[in-house]
Amino acid sequence: TNEHLLGKCLTANNPGFDTNPTFSPDGQRLAWLTMAGPSYESDAVGIQVYDIPSGKTTTLLKAEVDWAHSPNSLTWSKDGTKLYFGADVRSRMVVAYIDSTVGVQDGAGITILGDQTGCTSLHGEYEGGLLTTMQSLTMPSEIFTLSQDGTSKRQITHFNTDAVAQMSLGRSGELIYKGEKEEDVQAWLLRPAGFSEEEEAESQGAGKEGTKKRYPLAVIYHGGPQGSTMDDWHYRWNLQYYASMGFAVLAPNFHGSTGFGHQFCRDISENWEIGGLDTIAGVRAAIAAHPWIDESRVVGLGASYGGYTSNWLNGNAPVGMFKALVCHCGTFDLRSSYFATEELFFMETEFGGPAYTSKSRSAESDYQKYTPSKKIHEWQTPTLVIHGAKDYRLVESEGISTFTALQRQNVPSEMLYLPSENHHCLNPQNSMVWHETVLGWIQRWTTTSTKEEGNE
């Protein structure tokens, strides 16, 4: 046989994922990212290095133990003395490095570069510093140089400067509130475009009764569920799109989000309702803190786990909290989606095993407790359903089932079916249709001068 041509497997004893193999500049060492647990795609991530001459593997950063966050990329310095990596730290992408020989010892040895605002991605070293791209909730990606010690940066490109100057953007800020577990949860809160600091201060002083103008709130909950809404310029779920249309925007990084510690991320596994509960708590906190938000004009939007959340909220949120919902490629029923998904290992990890066991049939099973279909008889909130025909993560029948459940109960609803799209809407022309449809739907239910009733 020719099996010897395949070489040696360096990670055969590790049941978790090993990714991002990267050779050192001299070709003598190989670094990679490693997870310890089997079949858990959001496990804590460490860094290992294999020394080719000696055949020895060294752990430079031990997942879970050495740092509260996880590297997600690897780049060697030109001299081979450092390993740079990116990491999600409190919903901002940072660039950090460790010594490529010593690594992390006794919790020390990780250096984060820059001012930790926005999101930074490293593209390599150049003579005198680092070449990066930077972006934020108020700036599309531009190329910046960063000094070796991270203390200074310089913008090189201005591809979007003129275009952004002509846009009306919302001011971005953070909201920290107590979630379902009485722990701090971070959310982004964007002010509606054109709503000035002076107007906000006046509103805060006048209170709800004295505020002259109040704004609708778009609540956008991310997918994953292990992910985060970041301080970035997203090209599918751009928070500024909604702010520019006159909405306040709340984007909670609920329990299960990355960037807030490993346990915080794990808290959602086998407890999928916590994302929705944290979202409800976030809506209440935002309304309580900001009298300029109109609590009678709140809408919720999400995709994937966010679509699941829209369906879950329809049967579990306080009646009337949400005026309308948008469910993009979301879950209707956890058991049916298990038998159709291309990612069985994910569901078996998240819900404590397969969906065909006696355990899964128990009323206490996660498949039974947390499935949105459990409470379809309580669905009342108007919902726009969107699904791609080539979605194999959550197949199109999940969207069709959601739409059917709404239609048969005379809940106002529409469905946007995208025959050429997968789990995401990627085609530029389809994206335009998507955004126009979503905006039309949420404006329809938040316009104060009209009331919509009946089935569509």
Side-chain angles (χ1 to χ4, degrees):
T1 67
N2 293 322
E3 289 186 5
H4 66 283
L5 298 177
L6 296 175
K8 177 182 178 182
C9 179
L10 304 179
T11 61
N13 294 326
N14 181 35
F17 296 131
D18 296 292
T19 63
N20 296 66
T22 307
F23 279 102
S24 60
D26 63 6
Q28 297 300 297
R29 289 180 291 171
L30 178 67
W32 64 85
L33 302 180
T34 182
M35 298 180 182
S39 302
Y40 180 38
E41 64 184 14
S42 300
D43 203 359
V45 178
I47 299 175
Q48 292 186 317
V49 171
Y50 177 75
D51 182 74
I52 295 172
S54 68
K56 181 181 178 181
T57 298
T58 302
T59 298
L60 296 183
L61 190 158
K62 189 172 183 179
E64 197 88 25
V65 176
D66 288 336
W67 204 32
H69 309 288
S70 288
N72 55 32
S73 63
L74 275 180
T75 303
W76 286 89
S77 62
K78 286 186 176 181
D79 63 8
T81 62
K82 299 175 182 175
L83 272 168
Y84 295 102
F85 54 88
D88 178 355
V89 177
R90 294 193 60 80
S91 64
R92 296 173 176 89
M93 190 62 63
V94 305
V95 173
Y97 71 83
I98 57 174
D99 185 284
S100 66
T101 302
V102 178
V104 180
Q105 294 186 344
D106 299 323
I110 298 173
T111 301
I112 297 178
L113 301 172
D115 55 13
Q116 297 183 51
T117 60
C119 288
T120 303
S121 299
L122 176 66
H123 296 280
E125 289 181 313
Y126 76 101
E127 187 174 340
L130 305 175
L131 188 66
T132 72
T133 51
M134 297 184 184
Q135 59 178 308
S136 71
L137 286 165
T138 57
M139 184 188 73
S141 290
E142 297 284 3
I143 298 175
F144 283 73
T145 59
L146 189 64
S147 61
Q148 288 282 0
D149 61 4
T151 58
S152 64
K153 63 183 179 182
R154 182 167 66 94
Q155 186 169 348
I156 301 299
T157 64
H158 293 269
F159 295 122
N160 302 293
T161 302
D162 291 342
V164 171
Q166 299 175 41
M167 297 178 185
S168 183
L169 301 181
R171 293 177 290 116
S172 62
E174 293 184 70
L175 175 70
I176 308 298
Y177 64 93
K178 296 298 181 184
E180 173 64 15
K181 296 184 68 176
E182 290 299 318
E183 297 174 348
D184 283 351
V185 174
Q186 183 260 10
W188 295 107
L189 180 62
L190 270 63
R191 277 64 177 170
F195 183 48
S196 68
E197 293 185 41
E198 292 74 19
E199 290 174 306
E200 182 173 356
E202 181 181 345
S203 172
Q204 295 295 130
K208 186 181 297 185
E209 300 302 323
T211 296
K212 297 177 182 178
K213 185 175 182 180
R214 303 173 71 202
Y215 295 88
L217 176 66
V219 185
I220 298 177
Y221 21 83
H222 63 74
Q226 295 89 355
S228 67
T229 298
M230 305 190 77
D231 188 4
D232 64 6
W233 191 268
H234 203 284
Y235 282 92
R236 283 181 288 107
W237 287 94
N238 193 306
L239 305 190
Q240 288 289 358
Y241 175 70
Y242 305 92
S244 70
M245 298 299 173
F247 287 84
V249 184
L250 179 72
N253 282 312
F254 44 79
H255 280 82
S257 300
T258 54
F260 299 89
H262 302 304
Q263 186 55 51
F264 191 93
C265 181
R266 286 198 176 95
D267 280 342
I268 202 164
S269 297
E270 300 189 50
N271 184 20
W272 264 35
E273 70 176 2
I274 198 169
L277 293 170
D278 278 354
T279 296
I280 292 169
V283 172
R284 287 173 169 157
I287 291 171
H290 300 288
W292 46 270
I293 294 176
D294 188 344
E295 71 274 9
S296 70
R297 294 190 290 158
V298 179
V299 293
L301 308 85
S304 193
Y305 175 79
Y308 163 94
T309 300
S310 284
N311 287 346
W312 184 91
L313 289 169
N314 214 343
N316 291 278
V319 175
M321 172 174 275
F322 291 92
K323 191 74 173 178
L325 297 166
V326 176
C327 170
H328 175 102
C329 290
T331 303
F332 172 74
D333 183 86
L334 287 173
R335 293 188 74 198
S336 66
S337 62
Y338 170 87
F339 289 105
T341 187
E342 101 285 28
E343 201 177 45
L344 284 171
F345 74 90
F346 170 79
M347 295 197 70
E348 291 180 359
T349 298
E350 290 299 302
F351 302 109
Y356 52 79
T357 63
S358 58
K359 175 185 174 182
S360 70
R361 296 192 296 273
S362 164
E364 294 304 308
S365 165
D366 293 344
Y367 287 104
Q368 305 290 349
K369 287 193 299 183
Y370 303 135
T371 183
S373 60
K374 180 180 179 180
K375 290 192 174 183
I376 54 174
H377 58 285
E378 297 183 33
W379 286 9
Q380 302 178 29
T381 307
T383 302
L384 170 66
V385 183
I386 306 173
H387 223 100
K390 295 182 179 180
D391 185 354
Y392 306 121
R393 182 66 41 84
L394 288 162
V395 299
E396 60 188 351
S397 59
E398 294 296 305
I400 295 170
S401 297
T402 298
F403 184 56
T404 300
L406 293 160
Q407 287 277 296
R408 292 294 291 159
Q409 297 180 95
N410 292 317
V411 179
S413 49
E414 293 180 0
M415 183 168 185
L416 175 61
Y417 182 69
L418 301 169
S420 63
E421 298 291 357
N422 55 27
H423 197 53
H424 312 285
C425 184
L426 303 177
N427 179 278
Q429 286 72 34
N430 286 343
S431 179
M432 292 178 67
V433 172
W434 188 100
H435 280 87
E436 290 172 358
T437 304
V438 169
L439 178 63
W441 181 257
I442 62 176
Q443 285 181 331
R444 169 181 168 182
W445 296 101
T446 55
T447 301
T448 55
S449 60
T450 60
K451 289 186 177 180
E452 299 283 353
E453 295 179 355
N455 200 358
E456 292 295 324

